[in-house]
């Protein structure tokens, strides 16, 4: 089958013929129709932060095929799989999803809503889960003022929607060219990350994008406010969580709550996210679509910040 691969960290991403994945007892083989891009895929392509290589291969990647998000049709099931049958339409998290077929654990898949296209479904899993879990970790409430940095990115577009759905007053930070689209997601105010200084008085700050210093973010918080640094952006080349570590280290000595957040791949949470989509609370944001052959360009556009929301590879 054809897949988008890189054989060296930071090397070119290109199409290649690779073997069809073998399916274990608790796994499902998916005919991939669409695959979403997220910042984690970009990190795995580049091999940074370097700590990732301890798991994914020190000198070169153990798995050359990229991709985590997927939406497609079940092609085969493992001997212990009970929830899925051949022909079911699913979305979820797989292994090497930038390919014609991908293997996924049974528990990391949910049924694709009929109202969603495969591209829309593939835009949900990783980024939507991260936003949902971060919103819940921060316990955002309707009487709070919430700042979302990186509001136009894959996670940010879901965080804005989810925080606004809880009744929070959302102030979003992104580039000026994306401001109107972010405001349409529920942000009351949108600040230009290049020119607007951060106002104060926030109850919660979700630092999803950018590299604002912890002290800068603390100055924008209420005395008892909460800062949650989401993901690993702006954290350095070695561990990738330098800013997160500074926040956690400072937390015991200040009145504000400072912390870091890493998402988990939960099928149960993914189902709750899909339920919110079906209820009209959240909508998938597909900012750009590429054929599988243009995976390298899609990754370059994401790295350069040219995308709004999620980019999706249309595989079949």
């Amino acid at each position: 089958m054809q897949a988008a691969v890189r054989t060296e960290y930071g090397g070119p991403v290109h199409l290649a013929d690779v073997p069809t994945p073998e399916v274990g007892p608790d796994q499902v083989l998916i005919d991939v129709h669409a695959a979403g891009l997220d910042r984690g895929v970009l990190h795995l392509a580049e091999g940074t932060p370097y700590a990732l290589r301890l798991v994914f291969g020190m000198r070169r990647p153990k798995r050359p095929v990229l991709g985590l998000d997927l939406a497609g049709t079940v092609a085969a099931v493992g001997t212990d799989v009970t929830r899925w049958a051949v022909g079911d339409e699913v979305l979820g998290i797989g292994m090497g999803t930038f390919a014609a077929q991908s293997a996924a654990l049974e528990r990391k898949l949910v049924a694709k809503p009929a109202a969603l296209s495969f591209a829309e479904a593939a835009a949900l899993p990783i980024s939507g889960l991260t936003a949902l879990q971060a919103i819940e970790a921060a316990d955002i409430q309707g009487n709070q003022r919430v700042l979302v940095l990186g509001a136009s990115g894959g996670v940010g577009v879901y965080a804005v929607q989810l925080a606004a759905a809880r009744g929070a007053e959302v102030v979003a930070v992104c580039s000026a060219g994306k401001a109107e689209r972010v405001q349409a997601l529920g942000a009351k105010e949108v600040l230009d990350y290049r020119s607007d200084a951060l106002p104060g008085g926030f109850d919660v700050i979700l630092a999803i994008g950018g590299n604002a210093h912890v002290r800068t973010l603390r100055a924008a918080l209420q005395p008892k406010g909460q800062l949650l640094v989401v993901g690993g952006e702006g954290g350095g080349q070695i561990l990738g969580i330098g800013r997160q570590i500074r926040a956690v280290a400072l937390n015991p000595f200040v009145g504000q709550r400072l912390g870091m957040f890493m998402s988990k791949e939960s099928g149960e949470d993914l189902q709750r996210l899909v339920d919110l989509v079906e209820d009209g609370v959240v909508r998938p944001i597909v900012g750009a679509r590429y054929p599988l052959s243009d995976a390298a360009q899609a990754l370059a556009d994401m790295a350069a910040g040219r995308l709004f929301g999620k980019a999706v590879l249309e595989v079949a």
Side-chain angles (χ1 to χ4, degrees):
M1 67 174 187
Q2 285 221 306
V5 306
R6 50 81 178 92
T7 56
E8 302 288 340
Y9 290 122
V13 176
H14 61 280
L15 284 186
D17 289 324
V18 301
T20 300
E22 295 183 3
V23 176
D26 59 347
Q27 291 182 323
V28 177
L29 183 66
I30 309 296
D31 286 331
V32 180
H33 297 304
L37 279 72
D38 66 274
R39 300 294 297 193
V41 172
L42 185 61
H43 288 306
L44 290 174
E46 296 174 344
T48 57
Y50 297 124
L52 288 174
R53 303 188 185 196
L54 296 173
V55 176
F56 297 101
M58 288 298 296
R59 296 178 62 86
R60 59 182 56 87
K62 296 177 183 177
R63 295 176 178 170
V65 184
L66 292 165
L68 296 169
D69 288 326
L70 65 78
T73 306
V74 174
V77 298
T79 55
D80 294 343
V81 172
T82 59
R83 294 179 56 210
W84 308 110
V86 173
D88 288 345
E89 295 184 348
V90 297
L91 65 93
I93 301 167
M95 295 167 282
T97 63
F98 292 3
Q101 291 186 312
S102 173
L105 291 170
E106 176 184 25
R107 59 183 172 82
K108 293 186 180 181
L109 299 171
V110 300
K112 183 187 81 68
L116 293 185
S117 68
F118 284 107
E120 290 171 327
L124 277 172
I126 295 291
S127 298
L129 272 180
T130 302
L132 176 66
Q133 292 169 358
I135 291 289
E136 292 179 343
D139 193 25
I140 290 175
Q141 303 296 324
N143 60 346
Q144 292 180 321
R145 193 163 182 252
V146 177
L147 180 69
V148 179
L149 292 98
S152 64
V155 177
V157 293
Y158 292 113
V160 169
Q161 292 182 76
L162 289 163
R166 288 188 167 212
E169 178 185 316
V170 179
V171 177
V173 178
C174 65
S175 64
K178 300 171 183 175
E180 286 188 11
R181 286 176 286 178
V182 170
Q183 195 158 21
L185 298 176
K188 183 175 181 180
E189 182 181 359
V190 181
L191 306 177
D192 185 344
Y193 81 99
R194 291 168 297 188
S195 58
D196 292 346
L198 295 180
F202 289 102
D203 299 290
V204 179
I205 295 178
L206 299 179
I208 299 168
N211 56 6
H213 198 280
V214 171
R215 64 172 172 266
T216 301
L217 299 175
R218 282 193 62 216
L221 277 176
Q222 294 274 17
K224 297 295 182 181
Q226 178 180 189
L227 165 65
L228 205 57
V229 183
V230 181
E233 302 310 312
Q237 293 291 304
I238 305 300
L239 295 177
I241 54 172
R243 185 169 58 159
Q244 291 90 325
I245 291 173
R246 288 191 292 273
V248 171
L250 187 59
N251 183 64
F253 306 103
V254 298
Q256 298 158 325
R257 288 179 292 161
L258 314 176
M260 60 183 287
F261 176 80
M262 295 289 181
S263 64
K264 59 182 180 180
E265 297 178 353
S266 165
E268 292 181 357
D269 286 351
L270 183 56
Q271 183 59 62
R272 292 195 297 113
L273 178 65
V274 168
D275 290 343
L276 290 171
V277 171
E278 293 191 297
D279 290 341
V281 175
V282 177
R283 59 185 176 93
I285 305 298
V286 180
R289 305 179 187 214
Y290 303 80
L292 182 62
S293 58
D294 285 351
Q297 184 61 55
L299 288 166
D301 288 345
M302 181 169 59
R306 290 189 285 265
L307 302 176
F308 174 75
K310 290 279 286 191
V312 171
L313 298 179
E314 296 184 309
V315 180

